[in-house]
Amino acid sequence: SELYFVDPKAHRGINCRFGMRGIVAENHFDLSRNMIALLGGKRRYIIAHPSQCKNMSLYPSVHPSGRHSTFDWSNAAEWDLHPEFKDALVNEVVMHAGDVLYLPTAWFHYIVNLSKNIQCNIRSGIGEENINFVNECGFNPKGLK
């Protein structure tokens, strides 16, 4: 089916991760659709639409950490160094075992493990609905316009 798998032959399988309480995945965006299932425990996601790119204080696209924020969101002292971040419109989602979260292409996400947890995700192709926002922030994935 092409509902979720844009190119089924390019599918790379399911990735599963075990997380320990307090571990953080810094804010970033991925250039693919992402379906996340929490099999056990709890995780907190701070998510934002790609239109918030200008407020995310990203590294330049050529930087090894391009697509990631330049500072630690959990350190409020760093917020003063990045005043644009205070204008970011974000949503919080706390996932519990059995929850599934779909992140369209280029949605920002910052993750905090609230307990030991098991998470599996699957990615599928680049949805082009948000590419214009990514391009406006200086990223041009695979020449998409």
Side-chain angles (χ1 to χ4, degrees), residues 48-140:
H49 187 274
S51 66
Q52 296 303 302
C53 191
K54 64 187 177 299
N55 296 321
M56 294 293 156
S57 188
L58 299 176
Y59 285 107
S61 63
V62 296
H63 190 278
S65 292
R67 301 183 297 106
H68 291 76
S69 288
T70 59
F71 72 104
D72 178 2
W73 285 16
S74 65
N75 184 353
E78 291 188 36
W79 291 19
D80 290 335
L81 302 173
H82 304 277
E84 69 279 7
F85 177 67
K86 293 178 183 179
D87 294 327
L89 301 175
V90 301
N91 292 292
E92 177 181 24
V93 177
V94 175
M95 293 182 69
H96 299 264
D99 289 344
V100 176
L101 175 64
Y102 171 67
L103 291 175
T105 298
W107 272 65
F108 290 96
H109 48 291
Y110 171 87
I111 309 162
V112 179
N113 292 325
L114 299 176
S115 67
K116 283 197 275 186
N117 62 75
I118 304 168
Q119 172 248 280
C120 294
N121 74 302
I122 188 168
R123 294 189 181 158
S124 175
I126 298 174
E128 296 188 27
E129 65 276 3
N130 295 316
I131 295 304
N132 59 321
F133 298 112
V134 173
N135 287 337
E136 288 172 10
C137 274
F139 295 86
N140 188 7

Side-chain angles (χ1 to χ4, degrees), residues 6-26:
V6 176
D7 183 2
K9 292 179 182 175
H11 174 56
R12 297 181 308 187
I14 296 172
N15 298 298
C16 294
R17 295 174 182 86
F18 298 92
M20 298 302 293
R21 185 177 193 274
I23 300 298
V24 171
E26 296 298 339

Side-chain angles (χ1 to χ4, degrees), residues 21-49:
R21 185 177 193 274
I23 300 298
V24 171
E26 296 298 339
N27 180 56
H28 67 284
F29 70 89
D30 297 314
L31 289 170
S32 60
R33 297 175 179 99
N34 195 355
M35 185 80 71
I36 304 152
L38 197 63
L39 306 179
K42 292 193 305 187
R43 292 181 119 201
R44 177 182 181 222
Y45 281 74
I46 306 296
I47 61 175
H49 187 274

